Every structure is written in C-alpha cells, then in structure tokens.
Amino acid sequence: MASRMCVQVLARSSLALVCHPGSTRPHLRFLHTAPKLCSQSQQNGSSDSKVLVHFVNQSGVKSSVFVTEGESLLDVVIKKNLDISGFGACEGTLACSTCHLIFEESVYDKLEPIVDEETDMLDLAYGLTKTSRLGCQVTVEHWMDGMTVRVPHEINDQRGKQEAVSSK
C-alpha cells in the first residue's frame, strides 16, 4: 500500500525516491517528465555561468556550444539547433529514447543516479552502452565544463515507422 501511494505521489510531483548504491539513506530527485521550455530550465539553473559542452552527432560531426548551468542536454540541443536528427521526439516527457547520449566514463560516474523510468526507456535505445543516459534527464552542471557527449549512430524513433505504416 505504501509503495502504491508513493508511486501516485511521485507521478503527480515528478519526484523520485532514489537510493545511491552503498547508501542506506534515500533522497528525493526531480524527474524531468513534463516538457520544459528552454527558458524554464535556465530559470532553474543555479547561476548564469556558462559551461562548454561538445556534442558529436550520428555522422561524427562535433559541435561545441556554451550553455547555461541548469539546462537539460535535451534543451541545449533544441535551443542551439544542433544538427542531431530525430533527437528529443517526446520533448523531454521521458516517453522515448531519442535523446540517448553516450558519455565519457569519467563524466558518467559523476552523474546523478539513473532511475527506473529512464532505464526502461534506455532499454529501447539502439547502440546502448554502459555509459548511456537520456539527455532529458541530465542537467548541465559547472563540473561538466569541456565534456564531450556522443549520439549513437542509430536512433529508435517510432514516429517514422508509424507514419510508414499508416500511409500503406
């Protein structure tokens, strides 16, 4: 009963109770399950300081951008209009895996712990690695300055498949 009530509360508030490996104290973590405007994520940032982030798209083309702390990586790709095809199909509602990114291991190890909902979506992603995360769930922090994230060579965007089926 308690877990059912917890899930209902979590669904309404977009909070998750997360336990770090090796820790006995759970903490609450905000889940990015509703679409956010870029301006909203900037307002939630801790400061106006800029962080340099490098994105490598499916074709291997590198784009380097300065972003504001507090923005999700999905918001960065959209706001900066980076050339990453099919990225962020669900607009950050944690309902797809098209914002799948691959992180350097040293960066991945410092990220907030992954939650079950994100793991479920990553299970649908092509090119999954042990350092894969969804861009809608990773918020830029100052320590990420200079990091490089890669987009897998293939993405799993069901929109094109559904359009092809409905046109037959």
Side-chain angles (χ1 to χ4, degrees), residues 91-102:
E91 300 176 345
T93 60
L94 200 55
C96 73
S97 60
T98 60
C99 65
H100 172 205
L101 294 170
I102 300 170

Side-chain angles (χ1 to χ4, degrees), residues 8 61 68 75-76 86 123 128 136 147 166:
Q8 290 173 351
V61 176
T68 304
D75 285 345
V76 171
D123 286 342
L128 191 64
C136 65
M147 80 171 173
S166 63

Side-chain angles (χ1 to χ4, degrees), residues 80-94:
K80 300 290 184 176
N81 199 25
L82 299 181
D83 183 23
I84 302 176
S85 62
F87 197 84
C90 76
E91 300 176 345
T93 60
L94 200 55

Side-chain angles (χ1 to χ4, degrees), residues 23-39:
S23 174
T24 57
R25 293 181 80 190
H27 72 280
L28 290 176
R29 175 174 171 215
F30 178 73
L31 290 178
H32 305 284
T33 57
K36 300 186 303 181
L37 299 174
C38 294
S39 60

Side-chain angles (χ1 to χ4, degrees), residues 52-55 73 103-104 107 138 140 144-149:
L52 179 63
V53 179
H54 309 284
F55 290 86
L73 291 175
F103 290 81
E104 299 163 322
V107 172
V138 177
V140 176
M144 296 175 174
D145 191 43
M147 80 171 173
T148 299
V149 293

